[in-house]
Amino acid sequence: MSVRMSYEKMLKLGASARLMVLQAAAARMSVPVSELTTEPGRVLHAASGRALSYGELAQEAAALAVPADAPLRAKSDFRWIGKPLARLDVRDKSTGKAQYAIDLRVDGMLYAAVQHARHLGAEPQAVTNEAQVLAMPGVHSVHRLPGAVGVVADSWWRARRAAESLQVTWTAAAQGTKGAMPEDYSTERHRDGLKAMTGDGLEAEASGDVTKALAVAKTVIEATYDAPHLAHAQLEPPSALARWNEDGTLELWAPNQAPEMFQVAAAKVAGIDPSKVIIHSPLLGGFFGRHFLYASANPFPQAILLSKAVGKPIKLVWSREEEFLRDALRPMAVARFRAGLDEKGMPIALSAVAVGEGATGRWFGRQPDKVDSSAVEGIAGKLYAIPNHRVGHIHVDDPAVIGFWRSVGHSMNDFFYETFFDEMADAGKQDPYELRHRLLAESPRQQTLLEAVADLSGGWKRGPYEAEDGTRRARGVAMASPFGSEVATIAEVSLRGEEAVVHQVWVAVDPGSIVNPAIVEAQINSAVAIGLSIALMEEVVYEQGVPRARNYDGYPILPPDRMPKVQVRIIESGAPMGGIGEPGVPGVPPAVVNALAVLTGKRVRSLPLSRTSLGSSI
């Protein structure tokens, strides 16, 4: 949202500053402003050949009143906007000079590591080997924390080894603790519960008469889809550095995605006014929604408490195992579909019911009589011209601590809808690309995008067909409309035994307008990687109330050798500027699964694909 929300303001600020510099130059040169022009770094007076640098004029310009309505540069005259420019931070990130939270140090700092209770809501009751741990090399102190025990030491490795050595007796989890899993909880149990929910739920969107249309349909098809909990599994583990200053202020260095919220939350933990909290926001090491304000899933409260107890700055880093135990997960979700086709195989009715909980409702409050948009986005809001349709939502509390995940509800809901769309097309003996194109006749922006991705891929062909290397391949297509942008995706897939191999992904994206096409392309490549990772292999599995995976050995992510070639086409339709960090994700899983259906003759309705026996190509 940063560019979308700041774009117009930055244009106006730039134009105002430019006019102020021009006014200062006009006064200095004793010429009208209309005779002056600017180029990077200086003001020019063409008639006399004189020039003044911005630096020479800065003090005088700053003393002027800010113009109320400075003229904006015409888009055709932009020097940088719309041009592909490399990010300024690429070199530092590539050479290790970039400073992330995990890299930071301050004078007098000690290090800390923690051991969390297996179950959220449990508290440390006793540490039976505290004396032995205190005697370990470099250990400074051991501390009871809410839901954890922390160890402070002179190096993080020593703190971690000591924390892992703690023998802690824990109380039972407090009743009613959100995210406290019962010891008999399992992923399968929760999924079965979601699938067992009946009814149409609260209405999120509707048109026409679905019940009547289904009753007269020539063909009715039904399907139920599900998608698992997902970890963020970001490469930089969570950390926080807290320092209490002599003037009573608290400084906090923490990866975060909402500095003002973190400031208020840190003040509450510290017991001081928010104005006394100074938040430093380092570069994020790939978090995608991980470092929003999830109280039990963030290390900064622990760092604040430890620093206060010890009287020194504390740098706390969660080990990978503690991070996997306390991550705020993407919700698990289920969607039920029912569609009616006429005698020509065209869809005349579609009913969709999403089942589960949305992250927005969890963290910003849910109204029982209203649908949480994050639970239905990607199912609601589709532009296909199906005359009778209804989208409903059945709220079911997710037992896990859930949070925002890259593309939020779109990450699973577009998989549900776009894969079921292909099921409708097959049932009506329609080509799925052609059916989408026909049903978008009244949505020219989306229809243009669909044509663009087909052209980018060399022309739509579903397959199966034989590639030059002799592999038998097929293609799948999907559309998505996330965060103000429009995306069309085609994936080319083959089978290697039981394993899906994705060779190429083509993405056409329309964010309305753009600033830097190089960043747009980089974001789409990144989004394709994470979208493919969740399609192929990612899932959080709970056993006995705790996540089975505590590191990457149990939670694999997409390896480099499975990353396909990605081609991107950017279309600027002139619509209001949309997002770009997340929209590339949702179309990837359905495009891949739709291609696999061509190869195998089987429909996959549950992710990830690693849980499904794909069989051989037909």
Side-chain angles (χ1 to χ4, degrees), residues 294-558:
Y294 317 119
S296 64
N298 268 306
F300 75 87
Q302 298 169 342
I304 293 170
L305 296 174
L306 290 170
S307 180
K308 192 170 189 178
V310 172
K312 290 179 177 292
I314 291 293
K315 179 178 179 178
L316 169 64
V317 181
W318 282 3
S319 68
R320 190 67 68 186
E321 290 74 16
E322 298 303 319
E323 155 63 359
F324 270 89
L325 181 66
R326 282 291 180 267
D327 192 3
L329 309 177
R330 187 191 75 171
M332 184 184 290
V334 162
R336 290 188 277 107
F337 291 89
R338 196 164 183 242
L341 312 178
D342 64 17
E343 62 280 355
K344 296 180 180 178
M346 295 295 294
I348 58 172
L350 186 143
S351 169
V353 181
V355 185
E357 182 178 4
T360 300
R362 171 72 67 96
W363 296 106
F364 291 101
R366 183 180 71 87
Q367 296 176 273
D369 60 338
K370 291 186 178 179
V371 174
D372 178 354
S373 62
S374 67
V376 296
E377 58 188 7
I379 297 177
K382 289 291 186 180
L383 296 174
Y384 301 120
I386 300 175
N388 305 283
H389 78 272
R390 181 187 186 277
V391 177
H393 177 235
I394 298 174
H395 175 88
V396 178
D397 282 343
D398 197 301
V401 175
I402 60 171
F404 297 96
W405 196 94
R406 193 172 183 181
S407 75
V408 199
H410 285 278
S411 66
M412 60 269 199
N413 288 332
D414 280 291
F415 161 67
F416 299 153
Y417 191 106
E418 291 293 307
T419 314
F420 183 71
F421 188 102
D422 271 37
E423 292 205 44
M424 288 194 301
D426 286 344
K429 296 180 172 51
Q430 306 280 333
D431 177 89
Y433 172 89
E434 297 297 341
L435 182 59
R436 282 177 172 84
H437 193 267
R438 182 171 176 180
L439 294 181
L440 290 172
E442 297 179 7
S443 303
R445 182 184 179 194
Q446 290 72 23
Q447 194 177 60
T448 297
L449 199 67
L450 187 62
E451 293 167 357
V453 77
D455 180 68
L456 182 64
S457 69
W460 167 251
K461 54 179 178 179
R462 193 182 189 195
Y465 55 88
E466 186 174 308
E468 290 182 2
D469 63 359
T471 57
R472 193 166 180 273
R473 302 183 184 184
R475 295 183 182 182
V477 62
M479 310 239 358
S481 305
F483 310 104
S485 293
E486 297 293 332
V487 184
T489 306
I490 291 176
E492 183 182 57
V493 181
S494 71
L495 279 174
R496 183 187 298 132
E498 286 282 306
E499 183 177 271
V501 178
V502 182
H503 299 275
Q504 294 194 81
V505 174
W506 298 273
V507 180
V509 58
D510 175 6
S513 60
I514 62 171
V515 173
N516 187 345
I519 287 181
V520 173
E521 186 165 350
Q523 286 286 350
I524 294 296
N525 271 268
S526 164
V528 168
I530 204 169
L532 186 55
S533 190
I534 65 172
L536 297 179
M537 58 192 65
E538 290 190 41
E539 66 171 332
V540 173
V541 177
Y542 276 88
E543 295 173 340
Q544 297 179 327
V546 294
R548 183 170 65 196
R550 297 289 293 274
N551 210 318
Y552 288 116
D553 58 340
Y555 190 89
I557 60 175
L558 187 74

Side-chain angles (χ1 to χ4, degrees), residues 88-132:
L88 299 179
D89 57 9
V90 167
R91 180 175 292 276
D92 284 354
K93 286 180 175 177
S94 302
T95 58
K97 293 180 181 178
Q99 291 288 295
Y100 297 89
I102 201 169
D103 300 314
L104 301 177
R105 291 175 175 81
V106 297
D107 291 343
M109 180 180 80
L110 292 174
Y111 296 83
V114 295
Q115 180 188 136
H116 288 106
R118 279 168 52 86
H119 296 277
L120 194 65
E123 299 297 338
Q125 193 169 44
V127 181
T128 58
N129 65 336
E130 186 167 350
Q132 294 96 309

